[in-house]
Amino acid sequence: KAVTESERLAVSRVFESGQALALFSLAQQQGLEGIVAKHKDSLYFQGKRTKTWLKMKNLMDDDYVVCGWIPKDNHMTSIVLGQYDGRKLLYKGHVTLGVGGAAFAKIKAQPRVDHPPFDEPIPPGHGNEDAIWVAPTLVCTVEYMHKTKTGGMRQPVFKGLREDKRPEECMTK
């Protein structure tokens, strides 16, 4: 069956290797998730990764206030995130991938608070009822694919803590 183009899928023409970065830059400008590039003569093998196909993702990042953490199964942990809208600290979701090491040890050592530090109620579920809340004094960077229609991050990854930024500087966009 032939693949047809749509508003969500563009079938590429042949580009030389020097043009791939220009094409990726164009994808970024248009807010697309990224592009898939391949060698001109390579074949596709279903379910198998090869070095002749390359996925180039349009990743974004943003800074968030660390507001708590949630212990999960399989020794995983999620960090609960917030950002300021003016003077109000708002709930912005979680990040699980990349959480660990010295950065998480520093988060765990933060003074605990009895209630979520947000200025508005947080949504139920997502493990928030099991969160261990901390004083909102640390800032972290999170990388993600894009924001969903509801404002959540798609495929967020914790990239580390920032010592050079105050929590009040983490503003919603």
Side-chain angles (χ1 to χ4, degrees):
K1 181 178 177 184
V3 175
T4 57
E5 293 194 31
S6 70
E7 68 177 33
R8 297 187 53 96
L9 176 70
V11 178
S12 296
R13 311 312 173 257
V14 175
F15 294 93
E16 297 305 319
S17 62
Q19 295 174 303
L21 289 177
L23 182 61
F24 181 63
S25 177
L26 182 61
Q28 287 177 308
Q29 291 170 16
Q30 294 179 358
L32 300 175
E33 283 188 22
I35 64 171
V36 175
K38 71 175 202 74
H39 287 250
K40 204 181 326 186
D41 58 351
S42 67
L43 299 175
Y44 174 74
F45 297 98
Q46 186 173 353
K48 184 175 180 184
R49 292 179 183 250
T50 66
K51 293 181 179 181
T52 58
W53 287 68
L54 177 66
K55 186 186 297 185
M56 297 164 53
K57 294 182 178 181
N58 181 17
L59 298 174
M60 298 174 220
D61 63 26
D62 208 350
D63 295 326
Y64 293 88
V65 181
V66 175
C67 297
W69 51 280
I70 302 169
K72 300 205 168 204
D73 294 334
N74 299 327
H75 307 288
M76 302 290 285
T77 304
S78 287
I79 297 174
V80 184
L81 306 169
Q83 284 182 326
Y84 282 91
D85 184 4
R87 293 186 174 185
K88 288 183 175 183
L89 181 59
L90 304 178
Y91 170 83
K92 291 295 177 178
H94 318 117
V95 61
T96 304
L97 291 176
V99 175
F104 180 61
K106 187 169 184 172
I107 292 167
K108 268 182 95 167
Q110 291 303 296
R112 295 186 182 183
V113 295
D114 293 333
H115 302 287
F118 305 107
D119 292 302
E120 293 184 359
I122 59 173
H126 304 289
N128 290 324
E129 59 281 350
D130 298 323
I132 297 163
W133 303 108
V134 297
T137 58
L138 296 177
V139 172
C140 70
T141 299
V142 176
E143 191 174 74
Y144 55 93
M145 287 289 292
H146 66 267
K147 296 255 176 126
T148 64
K149 289 180 183 178
T150 60
M153 293 173 283
R154 182 158 180 258
Q155 299 178 348
V157 178
F158 177 80
K159 299 310 277 186
L161 295 173
R162 291 194 58 175
E163 303 291 335
D164 63 330
K165 194 169 189 177
R166 294 183 355 257
E168 297 78 20
E169 296 177 86
C170 298
M171 303 294 286
T172 59
K173 295 177 183 169

